[in-house]
């Protein structure tokens, strides 16, 4: 397909006409003949803006590199193409949060000459962008930065530079996290009246856990040259390896792990993260988290956590300093509060299509709200019916078995908590389905109990506040599935901790992008990945040009308040 020119003579002279044509084989003439597909009109009266729109529309059918190559002059050579859009957007958000300025401030010596942190800051941003756009090992990330993406101010880097940036990040993490939070709070006018906290774990495919080392009360490793084995209070410091066996939330109790904590706002913005040894207990971590956040001089906070942090000691600690809490309670704990709450009569109030609530008065100092989800109740009923059907098959005709065989089967069933819950053994050793247990479980279908210490929140606010804990669960899901928290390609504890901070910073930029646009990061990243930077060389020199932006891409940048990039990013004339 090509542009064909025809001439026509008239009184004023020769007039040239332009046509879009292609050649077709004419079997009669025995040769290819041109066939006009479209006529553009007179060359001296050509609508060049319409031609530009046509070329831009056709370019969308090609990938970014092909589009750039097809629209360049014939004396230029298209030499390379690099991803541009994602890093361009993330870099603008990074600078809007002033993280580049924070990186230049933290860790500076109090006296003497200040260090130039520009190179380290650029590498740090590139590693965060790598987690959000193309997560990989730090070795692969260095190659991605050098070959596959355009990072403003960082044409290339090495894996050693990446490791040095991570080591520096670990040294300044506390100060950096505090200053980043201050900037995020100012920029987004964050509401931190509710803070949601939860933990997860990530495992390592190792044959052996790390060797135990002395740790302080925060779980941080003590310096190797610290000969004092006792803490400040005279108690012996605990010893634990960082990658240690513990209760895995990934169902991998057979592998060493670490525990990671995160606090997020009601909008899902992550404000801080923590790391602990793999054998750390959830019941004690929330107290350290509250102390750490207290140092940030926040106003009154209502802590929202799940059932893993509901001990009486934790509840007392969370109430200190005019703070409060909303905590999920274990319905099957058998505690006096649970029994009393479930026994109270009263009507439910529907606050949404899938949630009904009922506040019950059983304490002078705490409030209890029973929540009922009809959809979840149906799921619970369906799951129980499946379990009962499976249990019935297992115990049918077991009366004919010997006592030893029945005991053996009972042992196998006890290893499956879902089935064991409904199994009853008669005084004679016979296996039966526990109908009383079924009735008890039916009363719990779709229900959960909330405990709150704030006297001013309405019952609806308590229920809705706890529901927003799902934002934290979504954060863990994105950490593991989009940012690729694991596998962790590091052995040193300091670099593992730095890796987690990189993931937190990436999640922070992602959440700000999502809350601003109302779109998911997957959809945003897919659109931004289509924006490339092409490099062209010719006799006159070298230049780099950004692909023409589509309307969805322009709309996305406008929503984020990010200016469209210059079409030509770099221009290097050939020396004369």
């Amino acid at each position: 397909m090509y542009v064909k020119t025809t001439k026509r003579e008239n009184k004023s002279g020769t007039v040239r006409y332009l046509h879009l044509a292609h050649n077709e084989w004419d079997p009669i003439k025995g040769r290819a003949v041109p066939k006009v597909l479209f006529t553009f009109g007179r060359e001296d009266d050509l609508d060049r803006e319409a031609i530009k729109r046509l070329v831009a529309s056709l370019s969308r059918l090609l990938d970014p590199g092909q589009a750039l190559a097809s629209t360049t002059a014939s004396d230029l050579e298209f030499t390379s193409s690099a991803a541009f859009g994602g890093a361009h957007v993330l870099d603008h958000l990074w600078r809007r949060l002033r993280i580049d300025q924070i990186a230049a401030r933290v860790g500076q010596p109090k006296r003497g000459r200040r260090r130039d942190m520009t190179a380290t800051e650029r590498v740090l941003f590139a590693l965060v962008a790598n987690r959000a756009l193309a997560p990989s090992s730090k070795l692969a990330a260095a190659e991605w930065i050098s070959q596959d993406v355009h990072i403003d101010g960082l044409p290339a880097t090495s894996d050693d530079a990446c490791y040095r940036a991570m080591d520096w990040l670990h040294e300044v993490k506390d100060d950096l996290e505090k200053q980043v939070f201050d900037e995020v709070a100012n920029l987004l006018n964050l509401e931190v009246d509710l803070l949601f906290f939860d933990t997860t774990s990530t495992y390592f495919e190792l044959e052996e856990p790390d060797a135990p080392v002395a740790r302080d009360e925060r779980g941080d490793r003590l310096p190797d040259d610290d000969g004092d084995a006792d803490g400040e209070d005279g108690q012996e410091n605990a010893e634990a390896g960082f990658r240690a066996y513990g209760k895995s939330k990934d169902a991998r109790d057979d592998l060493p792990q670490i525990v990671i904590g995160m606090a997020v706002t009601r909008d899902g913005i992550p404000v801080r993260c923590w790391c602990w040894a793999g054998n750390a207990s959830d019941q004690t971590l929330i107290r350290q988290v509250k102390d750490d956040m207290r140092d940030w001089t926040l106003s009154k906070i209502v802590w929202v956590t799940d059932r893993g942090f509901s001990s009486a000691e934790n509840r007392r600690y969370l109430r200190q300093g005019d703070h409060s809490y909303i905590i999920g309670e274990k319905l099957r704990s058998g505690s006096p509060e649970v029994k009393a709450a479930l026994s109270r009569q009263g009507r439910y109030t529907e606050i949404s299509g899938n949630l009904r609530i009922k506040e019950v008065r059983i304490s002078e100092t705490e409030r209890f709200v029973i929540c009922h989800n009809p959809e979840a109740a149906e799921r619970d009923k369906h799951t129980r019916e499946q379990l009962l059907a499976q249990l019935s098959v297992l115990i049918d005709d077991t009366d004919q078995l010997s006592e030893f065989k029945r005991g053996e089967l009972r042992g196998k069933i006890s290893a499956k908590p879902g089935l064991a819950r409904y199994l009853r053994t008669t005084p004679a050793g016979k296996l039966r389905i526990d109908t009383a247990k079924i009735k008890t479980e039916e009363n719990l279908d779709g229900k959960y109990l909330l405990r709150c210490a704030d006297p001013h929140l309405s019952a609806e606010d308590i229920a809705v506040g706890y529901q927003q804990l799902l934002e934290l669960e979504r954060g863990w899901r994105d950490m593991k599935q989009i940012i690729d928290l694991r596998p962790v390609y590091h052995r040193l504890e300091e670099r593992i901790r730095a890796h987690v901070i990189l993931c937190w910073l990436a999640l922070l930029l992602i959440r700000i992008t999502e809350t601003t646009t109302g779109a998911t990061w997957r959809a945003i990243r897919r659109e931004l990945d289509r924006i490339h930077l092409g490099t062209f060389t010719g006799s006159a020199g070298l230049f780099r040009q950004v692909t023409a932006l589509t309307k969805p891409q322009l709309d996305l940048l406008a929503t984020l308040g990010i200016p469209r990039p210059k079409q030509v990013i770099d221009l290097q004339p050939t020396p004369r």
Side-chain angles (χ1 to χ4, degrees):
M1 195 173 296
Y2 59 95
V3 176
K4 176 180 172 61
T5 304
T6 60
K7 299 179 181 180
R8 182 177 299 176
E9 300 293 336
N10 59 21
K11 293 180 181 180
S12 59
T14 302
V15 179
R16 292 163 55 91
Y17 292 85
L18 300 180
H19 316 272
L20 183 64
H22 78 121
N23 291 332
E24 285 188 353
W25 180 259
D26 189 331
I28 298 176
K29 295 181 179 180
R31 59 184 174 85
V33 295
K35 179 180 180 181
V36 174
L37 301 176
F38 181 77
T39 298
F40 294 106
R42 291 174 54 148
E43 186 178 34
D44 59 354
D45 192 30
L46 186 64
D47 186 350
R48 298 188 180 277
E49 291 301 320
I51 297 296
K52 288 182 180 179
R53 291 194 296 271
L54 176 61
V55 171
S57 179
L58 292 173
S59 297
R60 293 172 194 159
L61 303 177
L62 307 174
D63 67 45
Q66 292 172 330
L68 280 171
S70 64
T71 56
T72 56
S74 58
D75 63 330
L76 290 176
E77 181 182 358
F78 172 61
T79 57
S80 66
S81 175
F84 180 86
H88 174 75
V89 166
L90 293 175
D91 202 3
H92 270 272
L93 295 176
W94 179 270
R95 296 176 190 273
R96 187 179 296 171
L97 293 174
R98 297 187 176 90
I99 302 179
D100 57 329
Q101 299 176 30
I102 293 171
R105 290 195 302 264
V106 297
Q108 291 285 1
K110 295 182 179 179
R111 295 181 179 179
R113 186 177 179 180
R114 293 174 61 86
R115 292 178 292 178
D116 184 0
M117 301 302 298
T118 303
T120 300
E121 179 272 327
R122 286 289 79 195
V123 174
L124 182 64
F125 165 73
L127 291 175
V128 172
N130 175 256
R131 303 316 307 174
L133 298 170
S136 58
S137 68
K138 302 307 175 289
L139 180 62
E143 183 178 358
W144 177 79
I145 295 165
S146 303
Q147 303 292 334
D148 301 329
V149 68
H150 174 78
I151 303 292
D152 185 32
L154 187 67
T157 192
S158 66
D159 53 321
D160 287 337
C162 293
Y163 290 132
R164 286 195 297 271
M166 292 181 68
D167 293 341
W168 171 84
L169 176 62
H170 178 261
E171 293 176 5
V172 302
K173 62 182 179 66
D174 292 338
D175 198 9
L176 182 138
E177 285 178 330
K178 172 64 170 65
Q179 294 193 39
V180 168
F181 170 77
D182 290 341
E183 293 294 342
V184 173
N186 292 332
L187 177 67
L188 303 181
N189 293 320
L190 284 185
E191 294 184 38
V192 288
D193 55 335
L194 290 182
L195 267 184
F196 302 84
F197 175 76
D198 197 8
T199 62
T200 190
S201 59
T202 188
Y203 59 88
F204 297 77
E205 296 186 4
L206 304 173
E207 293 184 0
E208 296 292 336
D210 291 342
V213 296
R215 297 185 179 276
D216 61 20
E217 67 280 357
R218 294 173 46 84
D220 294 331
R221 188 176 64 184
L222 293 172
D224 293 336
D225 58 352
D226 188 353
D228 186 5
D230 294 337
E232 294 181 0
D233 56 0
Q235 294 183 352
E236 185 176 349
N237 287 309
E239 288 195 351
F242 190 52
R243 297 176 295 180
Y245 291 116
K247 180 59 180 175
S248 173
K249 298 190 178 182
D250 296 311
R252 292 306 305 263
D253 290 351
D254 59 319
L255 293 173
Q257 64 174 21
I258 64 171
V259 175
I260 303 171
M262 185 163 60
V264 306
T265 67
R266 63 167 72 224
D267 296 319
I269 304 296
V271 297
R272 193 167 183 176
C273 68
W274 294 261
C275 290
W276 295 281
N279 60 358
S281 169
D282 277 358
Q283 287 291 346
T284 59
L285 301 182
I286 187 68
R287 299 167 218 161
Q288 177 191 328
V289 170
K290 182 177 183 294
D291 289 342
D292 289 346
M293 298 304 292
R294 179 188 59 201
D295 295 339
W296 287 13
T297 62
L298 299 173
S299 58
K300 178 180 177 180
I301 298 174
V302 177
W303 290 89
V304 185
T305 66
D306 67 7
R307 298 169 296 180
F309 306 94
S310 61
S311 69
E313 187 174 357
N314 281 342
R315 297 199 306 272
R316 284 194 300 271
Y317 208 85
L318 290 177
R319 295 186 70 169
Q320 295 176 8
D322 199 30
H323 289 192
S324 190
Y325 56 76
I326 301 172
I327 298 180
E329 189 70 22
K330 297 177 181 178
L331 281 179
R332 296 184 179 87
S333 66
S335 68
E337 293 95 336
V338 170
K339 291 180 179 179
L342 293 176
S343 65
R344 291 291 192 274
Q345 301 298 314
R347 293 184 177 181
Y348 284 97
T349 301
E350 185 170 315
I351 62 173
S352 67
N354 63 343
L355 184 62
R356 304 188 304 155
I357 62 171
K358 177 176 64 175
E359 182 169 3
V360 293
R361 303 283 182 178
I362 58 174
S363 171
E364 295 296 327
T365 59
E366 292 181 303
R367 300 168 62 195
F368 290 82
V369 177
I370 301 176
C371 301
H372 179 252
N373 184 328
E375 295 177 3
E378 286 297 320
R379 290 194 298 270
D380 292 345
K381 179 182 178 182
H382 179 69
T383 300
R384 183 173 57 254
E385 289 173 348
Q386 289 182 314
L387 290 172
L388 290 174
Q390 185 178 351
L391 182 60
S392 296
V393 171
L394 289 174
I395 66 174
D396 273 353
D397 300 325
T398 54
D399 290 357
Q400 312 303 320
L401 299 177
S402 66
E403 185 176 348
F404 175 79
K405 287 293 185 181
R406 285 199 301 269
E408 190 177 55
L409 177 59
R410 186 169 63 251
K412 291 180 179 179
I413 294 175
S414 66
K416 301 177 180 180
L419 296 177
R421 182 180 301 163
Y422 301 105
L423 181 65
R424 178 176 64 89
T425 305
T426 68
K430 304 294 180 66
L431 303 182
R432 297 290 185 267
I433 290 178
D434 192 338
T435 55
K437 188 64 175 178
I438 294 175
K439 189 172 182 180
T440 301
E441 289 295 317
E442 287 176 346
N443 188 41
L444 302 181
D445 284 352
K447 294 178 182 176
Y448 53 95
L449 179 63
L450 304 180
R451 183 195 292 258
C452 178
D454 191 313
H456 305 296
L457 290 175
S458 68
E460 180 176 347
D461 287 339
I462 294 171
V464 172
Y466 188 78
Q467 273 196 321
Q468 290 173 322
L469 194 60
L470 295 174
E471 282 293 332
L472 184 47
E473 295 177 4
R474 186 168 72 96
W476 289 134
R477 188 166 59 249
D478 287 353
M479 273 272 226
K480 295 183 177 183
Q481 297 179 4
I482 295 180
I483 302 175
D484 284 4
L485 175 64
R486 68 161 307 276
V488 182
Y489 300 98
H490 301 287
R491 176 181 57 85
L492 299 178
E493 177 176 334
E494 293 78 6
R495 289 183 179 163
I496 295 173
R497 291 179 180 273
H499 170 78
V500 173
I501 299 172
L502 290 175
C503 292
W504 164 69
L505 287 169
L507 183 63
L508 172 64
L509 297 180
I510 286 173
R511 281 291 178 270
I512 292 175
T513 306
E514 289 180 328
T515 55
T516 305
T517 62
T520 66
W521 177 245
R522 291 184 187 274
I524 295 168
R525 184 173 61 183
R526 186 167 56 248
E527 194 63 55
L528 294 176
D529 282 346
R530 296 173 181 144
I531 306 176
H532 273 232
L533 182 69
T535 301
F536 303 90
T537 57
S539 57
L542 173 148
F543 74 93
R544 293 184 173 89
Q545 177 181 327
V546 178
T547 50
L549 300 186
T550 64
K551 187 178 185 304
Q553 292 163 355
L554 289 171
D555 291 343
L556 180 59
L557 294 178
T559 303
L560 291 169
I562 295 175
R564 61 182 300 174
K566 296 183 295 184
Q567 187 172 9
V568 177
I569 299 297
D570 186 22
L571 184 61
Q572 303 175 20
T574 301
R576 294 185 181 276

